[in-house]
Amino acid sequence: MKFEQKDVEILDINWLKAHEEVHQKKVIELFEMTLRWGGYTKPLLIDRETGTILDGHHRYEVGKKLKLKFIPAIVIDYLEDDRIDVTTWPNSNLEIIEKTDVISMALSGKLFPPKTSKHSLSEYLPPIMIKLEDLK
């Protein structure tokens, strides 16, 4: 099964939960590009059960900065979906990480340092164009 544009849902941004911090410099750069584009060109990847952000923390922060009410995302059953794996980035403080660690961190309200979890998808997230005015 392949992710397609029709799989993109528009979610309430307040339901989403981060599990790791972001690099503010990247948020600013992405904020400026998003304004230039006038919308989102890539959806976030979200766990269906908890609202945990699996891919797209910087896009999420841009949405908050833009005071958006909604955000485009693909929603999956993270713990059961074999198309997505998680490992740690090479310079992370953790040697291993499990999907349950990601969910637990998001639900705790605490955050891993930036670039702790590295999600690998067997499917690419589709390109999209969802205008900012449609997300306000």
Side-chain angles (χ1 to χ4, degrees), residues 1-4 7-9 11 15-19 40 42-60 71-79 81-86 99 102-103 106 117-126 128:
M1 187 167 108
K2 182 178 176 185
F3 293 127
E4 297 179 7
D7 297 321
V8 176
E9 300 178 32
L11 303 179
W15 178 63
L16 305 182
K17 295 163 194 71
H19 74 271
Y40 274 70
K42 185 176 177 183
L44 282 71
L45 187 65
I46 306 296
D47 174 52
R48 178 177 315 285
E49 293 299 315
T50 63
T52 298
I53 300 166
L54 309 171
D55 182 63
H57 284 85
H58 291 90
R59 284 170 270 151
Y60 168 70
I71 203 150
I74 290 181
V75 182
I76 64 166
D77 184 345
Y78 179 50
L79 296 177
D81 198 322
D82 293 335
R83 294 175 295 180
I84 184 166
D85 291 313
V86 66
K99 288 181 176 184
V102 171
I103 298 292
S117 67
K118 180 180 181 183
H119 285 93
S120 302
L121 299 171
S122 62
E123 310 285 337
Y124 291 103
L125 296 176
I128 59 170

Side-chain angles (χ1 to χ4, degrees), residues 52 61 87 105:
T52 298
E61 289 298 323
T87 187
M105 186 60 81

Side-chain angles (χ1 to χ4, degrees), residues 88-105:
T88 57
W89 283 94
N91 293 326
S92 158
N93 291 333
L94 297 178
E95 287 190 32
I96 60 169
I97 190 170
E98 303 288 335
K99 288 181 176 184
T100 53
D101 299 326
V102 171
I103 298 292
S104 294
M105 186 60 81

